[in-house]
């Protein structure tokens, strides 16, 4: 389908509700395990099942995680917030209500920047418990119920309608994922459902303020689906309005196979949730002292690191984005910079940082991907990568020598300098060792020398290759080129 034509007189308006499953050991209100992936109905104690006579007790980690995310998204933290019952009937909800927050969410009025110029306001972040899972595909005649997920803690992050395209919504969702992973409050795994997204979409004539009628798209479990579904829905609504047909306020489902959204239920049939404060749970109190303690334990956030890398290390934006994408990679990089800075290297900081960035973006991340290892467990520790980078900075090894040395270091934890010597990888930068070979190569190729003298300058590359091939170890290619050009111009004068 065509991209949305920016010439259309309508502007897309999108607000997202992102549900994020928290990485606590136990559930929101009971000691049951909250782990993903167990066999059905293994983590179901009487509280999860909502049996009569049971009482919920709030998991303090859930509050701590909510405050972490609230602080990271510049929210105000509500000093006294309430948990409320949200009633609806569904087989995967054995209590008949979900415990959530309604009138006083724990975090309000924050924002998340998705680019230098794009600030998306966050209306609220609230705590709620998840429901179980209905399995319809196992057997054509029945639905099976798995209650393991009942009571698993979630945060719902509700944005203001500030997004303007599917691509922006995709980016925003990725930023949320990055943040919850940095904060170590969720694994942000969309395929496993730890991050789920509902998109509210409307369009309005450009230059107007009033919001149009929105639809809500459910059932999106990948960044790509979020983007495609929203763009499709925007086009559908614009097409309706152009024909004079009003948009119906309804919930729609995204069908990725057909590339369309379709109606699920109209909002007129929407539930009345009959919210009220849960009488079994006291208010959640977050004191200034508790907030300060959580603040003190927060990691440096990706946006802060990104601007540090660009400003202090003078790295390109692209490098800064790759290095800050995941916290373990950023931590690895920063440790390597630190170690190189403390070493005898006297190269300027930007030179050191760029050399390390190249090794990490190339060799380290590629090896991690190929071998399925986490950066945090990478066999070459940051300090040793710094030593390798230093050999390269001072031209002790060539770039191809560095490749061989890096490979060797994966299974040899001696100092890189020692391995390089032993494997004869040190770069030869000694004229007296190179000159006889340069001379021999020129003597053996009179035809190519003649071509050079007739003006075919590019043939120098051929000579460089010949010299490199005859040498054990790796000569400095810049020096080889200089010596060749000297030798050739000398022949010119003969
Ligand atoms: P509902 O009561 O239908 O859940 P809310 O007002 O709570 O609606 O908003 C839910 C989400 O929908 C928020 O992210 C909000 O920014 C977004 N939203 C609200 N109105 C619109 C609209 N007209 N167009 C697009 N998004 C909207
Ligand atoms: Mg909603």
């Amino acid at each position: 389908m065509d991209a949305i034509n920016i010439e259309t007189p309508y502007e897309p308006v999108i607000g997202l509700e992102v549900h994020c499953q928290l990485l606590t050991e136990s559930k929101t209100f009971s000691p049951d395990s909250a782990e993903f992936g167990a066999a059905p109905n293994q983590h179901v104690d009487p509280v999860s099942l909502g049996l009569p006579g049971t009482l919920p007790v709030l998991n303090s980690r859930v509050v701590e995680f909510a405050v972490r995310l609230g602080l990271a998204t510049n929210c105000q933290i509500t000093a006294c917030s309430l948990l409320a019952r949200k009633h609806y009937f569904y087989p995967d909800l054995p209590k008949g209500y979900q415990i959530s927050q309604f009138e006083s969410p724990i975090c309000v009025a924050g924002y998340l920047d998705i680019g230098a110029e794009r600030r998306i306001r966050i209306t609220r972040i609230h705590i709620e418990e998840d429901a179980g899972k209905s399995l319809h595909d196992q057997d054509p005649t029945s639905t099976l119920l798995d209650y393991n997920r009942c009571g698993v803690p979630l945060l719902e992050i509700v944005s203001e309608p500030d997004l303007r395209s599917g691509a922006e919504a995709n980016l925003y969702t990725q930023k949320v994922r990055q943040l919850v992973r940095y904060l170590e409050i969720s694994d942000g795994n969309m395929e496993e459902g730890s991050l789920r997204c509902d998109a509210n979409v409307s369009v309005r004539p450009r230059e107007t303020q009033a919001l149009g009628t929105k639809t809500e798209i459910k059932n999106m479990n990948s960044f790509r689906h979020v983007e495609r579904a929203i763009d499709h829905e925007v086009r559908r609504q614009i097409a309706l309005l152009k024909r004079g047909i009003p948009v119906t306020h309804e919930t729609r489902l995204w069908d990725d196979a057909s590339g369309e959204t379709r109606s699920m239920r109209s909002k007129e049939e929407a539930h009345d949730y009959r919210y009220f404060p849960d009488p079994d749970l006291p208010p959640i109190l977050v004191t200034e002292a508790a907030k300060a303690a959580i603040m003190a334990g927060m990691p440096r956030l990706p946006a802060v690191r990104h601007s540090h890398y660009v400003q202090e290390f003078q790295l390109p934006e692209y490098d800064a984005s790759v290095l800050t994408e995941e916290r373990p990679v950023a931590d690895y990089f920063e440790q390597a910079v630190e170690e190189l800075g403390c070493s005898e290297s006297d190269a300027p900081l930007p030179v050191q940082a760029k050399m390390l960035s190249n090794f990490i973006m190339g060799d380290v991340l590629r090896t991690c991907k190929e071998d399925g290892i986490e950066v945090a467990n990478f066999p070459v520790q940051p300090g040793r990568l710094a030593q390798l980078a230093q050999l390269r900075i001072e031209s002790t090894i060539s770039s191809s020598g560095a490749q061989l040395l890096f490979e060797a270091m994966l299974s040899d934890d001696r100092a890189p300098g020692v391995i390089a010597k032993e494997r004869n990888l040190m770069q030869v930068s000694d004229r007296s060792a190179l000159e006889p070979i340069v001379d021999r190569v020129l003597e053996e190729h009179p035809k190519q020398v003649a071509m050079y003298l007739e003006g075919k300058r590019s043939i120098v590359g051929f000579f460089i290759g010949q010299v490199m091939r005859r040498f054990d170890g790796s000569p400095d290619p810049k020096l080889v080129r200089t010596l060749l050009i000297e030798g050739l111009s000398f022949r010119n004068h003969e």
Side-chain angles (χ1 to χ4, degrees):
M1 240 183 276
D2 306 334
I4 295 160
N5 183 354
I6 53 161
E7 299 299 320
T8 117
Y10 294 99
E11 176 181 54
V13 175
I14 301 136
L16 291 188
E17 293 161 281
V18 177
H19 287 87
C20 166
Q21 189 173 313
L22 298 181
L23 275 178
T24 54
E25 278 175 35
S26 56
K27 292 186 178 178
T28 327
F29 302 108
S30 71
D32 253 354
S33 167
E35 202 182 350
F36 177 83
N41 298 311
Q42 296 304 298
H43 300 318
V44 284
D45 72 1
V47 176
S48 299
L49 294 176
L51 297 185
T54 56
L55 286 172
V57 176
L58 179 60
N59 181 343
S60 62
R61 293 287 273 174
V62 173
V63 177
E64 184 191 329
F65 284 7
V67 172
R68 263 195 228 173
L69 185 60
L71 292 173
T73 50
N74 315 287
C75 285
Q76 291 162 25
I77 309 299
T78 311
C80 173
S81 68
L82 297 176
L83 290 155
R85 293 185 180 181
K86 175 182 181 178
H87 299 81
Y88 62 95
F89 177 76
Y90 203 73
D92 65 15
L93 188 72
K95 278 207 297 284
Y97 61 87
Q98 178 188 21
I99 304 177
S100 179
Q101 295 196 287
F102 185 54
E103 278 158 16
S104 61
I106 186 156
C107 311
V108 295
Y111 60 81
L112 186 59
D113 289 333
I114 61 167
E117 315 257 290
R118 290 296 289 141
R119 174 159 292 181
I120 309 304
R121 289 170 301 156
I122 289 174
T123 318
R124 54 187 278 155
I125 300 176
H126 66 254
I127 294 170
E128 63 184 30
E129 58 174 344
D130 211 344
K133 217 171 177 172
S134 304
L135 307 166
H136 306 291
D137 307 335
Q138 318 272 318
D139 167 356
T141 58
S142 56
T143 289
L144 301 177
L145 291 162
D146 177 3
Y147 288 141
N148 282 346
R149 212 174 60 185
C150 277
V152 164
L154 302 175
L155 293 180
E156 178 171 340
I157 305 139
V158 182
S159 85
E160 290 290 313
D162 286 351
L163 296 152
R164 294 290 171 266
S165 67
E168 273 197 358
N170 179 342
L171 187 58
Y172 169 86
T173 317
Q174 296 201 40
K175 291 273 178 202
V176 171
R177 177 176 187 273
Q178 181 189 40
L179 212 47
V180 299
R181 287 171 62 84
Y182 258 76
L183 298 169
E184 294 176 336
I185 64 174
S186 171
D187 61 25
N189 190 327
M190 270 196 136
E191 296 82 60
E192 289 178 3
S194 334
L195 206 67
R196 287 169 254 156
C197 177
D198 300 337
N200 298 270
V201 180
S202 66
V203 299
R204 65 182 169 197
R206 285 189 193 278
E207 320 298 336
T208 61
Q209 290 304 312
L211 295 173
T213 303
K214 71 170 169 124
T215 61
E216 182 171 353
I217 319 170
K218 299 246 178 216
N219 201 25
M220 293 182 291
N221 57 1
S222 86
F223 299 117
R224 209 184 105 258
H225 289 189
V226 171
E227 180 165 344
R228 286 189 70 203
I230 290 172
D231 285 346
H232 170 272
E233 183 58 17
V234 166
R235 275 189 291 266
R236 191 187 69 86
Q237 292 186 12
I238 292 175
L240 284 176
L241 295 182
K242 279 187 171 163
R243 286 173 16 228
I245 305 169
V247 172
T248 313
H249 184 197
E250 63 186 353
T251 302
R252 298 180 70 86
L253 276 182
W254 170 244
D255 179 352
D256 198 58
S258 68
E260 284 175 356
T261 60
R262 60 190 150 76
S263 181
M264 182 167 113
R265 58 169 183 258
S266 94
K267 277 285 175 176
E268 278 67 54
E269 310 156 19
H271 303 278
D272 172 0
Y273 293 121
R274 292 168 290 126
Y275 280 101
F276 64 81
D278 192 315
D280 291 339
L281 286 157
I284 302 174
L285 304 179
V286 182
T287 60
E288 284 302 314
K291 208 166 74 177
I294 294 170
M295 183 70 118
M298 299 262 286
R300 282 168 68 238
L301 298 178
V304 174
R305 296 187 188 210
H306 187 282
S307 67
H308 186 78
Y309 295 1
V310 171
Q311 277 153 30
E312 307 297 318
F313 300 158
Q314 294 171 31
L315 284 180
E317 290 277 337
Y318 176 77
D319 293 44
S321 299
V322 174
L323 294 171
T324 54
E325 178 61 40
E326 298 273 352
R327 180 172 157 193
V329 178
D331 286 345
Y332 183 99
F333 168 70
E334 287 174 23
Q335 260 189 53
V337 170
E338 172 90 26
E339 299 256 5
L340 192 50
C342 296
S343 74
E344 281 153 25
S345 175
D346 49 12
L349 183 59
V351 172
Q352 297 180 342
K354 182 59 182 149
M355 185 62 80
L356 288 167
S357 167
N358 290 348
F359 274 116
I360 293 172
M361 293 199 306
D363 306 284
V364 175
L365 292 182
R366 175 179 41 78
T367 313
C368 283
K369 201 169 164 204
E370 282 169 6
D371 300 352
I373 28 182
E374 302 284 332
V375 172
N377 305 325
F378 195 65
V380 178
Q381 293 297 299
R384 299 183 65 239
L385 191 82
Q387 293 172 13
L388 169 62
Q390 178 55 21
L391 292 176
R392 193 63 201 107
I393 289 171
E394 64 198 22
S395 289
T396 308
I397 50 172
S398 65
S399 73
S400 54
Q403 287 303 306
L404 296 170
L405 181 52
F406 178 80
E407 295 296 327
M409 286 168 68
L410 293 173
S411 55
D412 186 339
D413 53 16
R414 288 175 301 162
V418 173
I419 307 175
K421 259 199 201 104
E422 186 182 281
R423 302 210 175 193
N424 209 9
L425 296 171
M426 295 299 206
Q427 181 151 266
V428 178
S429 52
D430 173 1
R431 286 182 77 106
S432 61
L434 282 170
E435 269 165 352
I437 294 179
V438 166
D439 278 341
R440 201 171 325 135
V441 164
L442 294 180
E443 261 159 44
E444 286 170 12
H445 296 92
K447 213 166 83 198
Q448 283 82 357
V449 171
M451 285 163 76
Y452 178 86
L453 297 178
E454 279 157 22
K456 190 161 190 282
R457 296 298 191 241
S458 62
I459 205 146
V460 171
F462 164 80
F463 291 121
I464 294 177
Q466 290 294 321
V467 174
M468 304 291 261
R469 197 185 301 165
R470 279 163 210 229
F471 223 90
D472 288 339
S474 35
D476 177 356
K478 276 202 214 101
L479 181 58
V480 172
R481 171 181 285 272
T482 310
L483 293 178
L484 277 164
I485 290 176
E486 277 175 25
L488 285 162
S489 61
F490 175 68
R491 276 166 175 75
N492 202 11
H493 296 133
E494 274 173 355

